[in-house]
Amino acid sequence: MSEATEMPTKLVDRFGRHVTYVRMSVTDRCDFRCVYCMSEDMTFLPRAQVLTLEEMATLGKAFTELGVRKLRITGGEPLVRNNVIWLFQQLGRLPGLEELTLTTNGSQLERLAGPLRDAGVRRINISLDSLDAERFRRITRVGDLDKVLRGIEAARAAGFERIKINTVAMRNRNDDEILDLVRFVLDRGMDISFIEEMPLGVIDDHDRAEVYMSSDAVRELIATRFELVSTAETTGGPSKYFRIPDSGTRVGFISPHSHNFCDTCNRVRVTTEGQLLLCLGQEHSMSLKQVLRSHPGDMDRLKQAIVKAMDIKPKGHEFNLEAKPVIFRHMSVTGG
Ligand code: SAM
Ligand code: SF4
């Protein structure tokens, strides 16, 4: 194809933002059913609709050839997908990729932390909303806290450069554990980010507005016990970071409601079905599965499709907790 010589080496949208970060969901399935993320009885996608691991590896290659430097693997629970380590091994050796990382609920880490580290993963995010076994089970509906804690220890032993805990802060659900969670990461040299709940998907038995807790409220609470020093550090995401003096620990706040991070958005997402989502809070998307399956092996065509999709990346999201959700995708489908 003659256009091959004109293929851009960067992804730039209409607003001049460079897309260098892709989050890829490798499964919509999960062994947990967190109340803010999934309904109790979920219907998962038929296998044929889900991208194969080979297709995902091809996407990773296309994105890195277009200047993407960071890939985050997520889901659903990425580590429940069969043979997912093979995908990490393929992605881990892509030239140009500076960072391969994942977000996990930790349930499979006891078994997989070592192989992930060997595949080239240097940083890892582990979700943990409570240190109380019974409460942990209530929030995840089925999760076993001990297993996750053993997974966190396995990750520490495997030698990841950074381990970050992700906690969704919820009023009257886990706000009384926020200080304990900070102490937990501080004692282990890890980081923590507190996330404001986002209205993704309709969940019957969970009232998001009732449990909503702003990042400012979480930060004020932490500041009653720990000194927080503001830093300009970024990990390429929407987190605002603080350092706890005399420790390596960073405390981050991800605040889709209270602070608008769209202006500097550098990311896109790929769903389990190969849908390229240009914005977490909007419906703008393009099917990469269609390109992959109708033109197998045609890397140039795939890259052209990705370049073209940049034209429909919207300026920003419009989340509103009070309004009826306009976004019907669950987080497990979009890939947190
Ligand atoms: N299963 C993995 C996990 O739990 O870490 C990866 C996928 S999960 C969807 C990624 C992150 O999204 C988790 O930290 C989870 O707490 C967060 N999350 C899920 N639903 C959310 C929501 N509605 N608002 C904010 N964060 C959410
Ligand atoms: Fe599963 Fe992660 Fe969603 Fe919890 S947040 S249900 S662990 S995908």
Side-chain angles (χ1 to χ4, degrees):
M1 228 160 114
S2 63
E3 301 108 88
T5 50
E6 293 154 31
M7 187 73 70
T9 52
K10 274 188 205 160
L11 291 172
V12 185
D13 75 358
R14 288 173 302 150
F15 307 100
R17 296 173 297 191
H18 285 202
V19 170
T20 54
Y21 178 8
V22 175
R23 297 170 80 105
M24 208 186 276
S25 173
V26 297
T27 178
D28 62 328
R29 289 162 201 258
C30 187
D31 50 346
F32 290 2
R33 295 284 182 280
C34 302
V35 289
Y36 44 72
C37 179
M38 291 192 181
S39 306
E40 200 150 11
D41 52 341
M42 292 288 288
T43 310
F44 294 111
L45 292 164
R47 234 167 262 289
Q49 280 181 35
V50 171
L51 291 189
T52 63
L53 293 177
E54 288 79 5
E55 286 168 331
M56 289 175 184
T58 303
L59 282 182
K61 183 168 189 298
F63 277 115
T64 49
E65 288 180 8
L66 290 167
V68 165
R69 295 287 164 261
K70 178 169 172 180
L71 271 178
R72 177 176 296 281
I73 303 303
T74 178
E77 175 45 45
L79 300 184
V80 301
R81 174 125 192 200
N82 274 341
N83 212 16
V84 75
I85 295 297
W86 176 86
L87 177 64
F88 280 97
Q89 288 164 346
Q90 305 310 305
L91 299 175
R93 49 175 91 107
L94 286 173
L97 191 65
E98 288 166 10
E99 184 158 8
L100 173 62
T101 177
L102 87 150
T103 305
T104 173
N105 65 22
S107 69
Q108 310 300 314
L109 275 179
E110 218 177 348
R111 186 169 55 91
L112 296 179
L116 285 167
R117 184 70 190 91
D118 292 343
V121 176
R122 291 189 311 235
R123 295 194 318 156
I124 181 167
N125 288 1
I126 308 172
S127 300
L128 180 68
D129 295 333
S130 174
L131 293 166
D132 176 273
E134 205 184 301
R135 189 183 273 184
F136 185 82
R137 180 162 302 242
R138 223 175 304 135
I139 295 173
T140 59
R141 293 204 183 95
V142 287
D144 175 355
L145 176 67
D146 265 350
K147 201 169 168 196
V148 171
L149 293 178
R150 289 199 303 272
I152 292 173
E153 285 315 308
R156 291 178 68 208
F160 291 100
E161 287 167 21
R162 293 302 311 169
I163 301 173
K164 187 174 78 155
I165 298 297
N166 275 346
T167 302
V168 177
M170 291 168 282
R171 191 72 76 186
N172 300 323
R173 299 287 190 279
N174 65 355
D175 54 343
D176 58 340
E177 286 194 70
I178 286 170
L179 295 174
D180 293 343
L181 284 159
V182 174
R183 172 53 62 194
F184 179 82
V185 298
L186 201 51
D187 289 345
R188 290 165 182 76
M190 307 191 296
D191 296 329
I192 189 164
S193 275
F194 291 95
I195 312 175
E196 286 178 357
E197 185 168 338
M198 290 179 256
L200 296 170
V202 184
I203 294 171
D204 293 340
D205 54 349
H206 177 68
D207 183 344
R208 297 188 197 275
E210 183 199 317
V211 301
Y212 173 70
M213 189 166 179
S214 75
S215 286
D216 288 343
V218 177
R219 187 164 44 76
E220 279 163 24
L221 176 66
I222 296 172
T224 62
R225 177 85 55 88
F226 302 96
E227 191 183 344
L228 291 176
V229 180
S230 178
T231 81
E233 287 168 68
T234 164
T235 51
S239 280
K240 166 84 187 108
Y241 281 103
F242 294 79
R243 271 197 179 278
I244 297 187
D246 305 320
S247 79
T249 294
R250 288 180 304 182
V251 181
F253 299 93
I254 304 178
S255 327
H257 300 291
S258 31
H259 301 281
N260 198 315
F261 51 76
C262 302
D263 286 352
T264 54
C265 180
N266 61 351
R267 63 185 56 193
V268 294
R269 290 172 163 77
V270 182
T271 69
T272 316
E273 290 183 280
Q275 202 70 18
L276 176 63
L277 300 180
L278 284 311
C279 173
L280 180 59
Q282 302 269 11
E283 295 291 354
H284 305 70
S285 71
M286 165 186 274
S287 173
L288 295 177
K289 180 168 68 181
Q290 206 186 348
V291 183
L292 279 163
R293 294 198 176 167
S294 48
H295 306 279
D298 190 342
M299 198 54 145
D300 280 349
R301 196 179 284 258
L302 179 62
K303 283 160 69 178
Q304 294 286 9
I306 295 171
V307 170
K308 199 152 183 293
M310 293 303 119
D311 289 344
I312 56 165
K313 184 166 167 65
K315 199 164 191 306
H317 65 60
E318 289 152 12
F319 289 145
N320 179 357
L321 275 181
E322 304 299 332
K324 281 265 168 262
V326 282
I327 302 299
F328 296 104
R329 299 180 299 250
H330 286 102
M331 193 71 143
S332 54
V333 175
T334 58

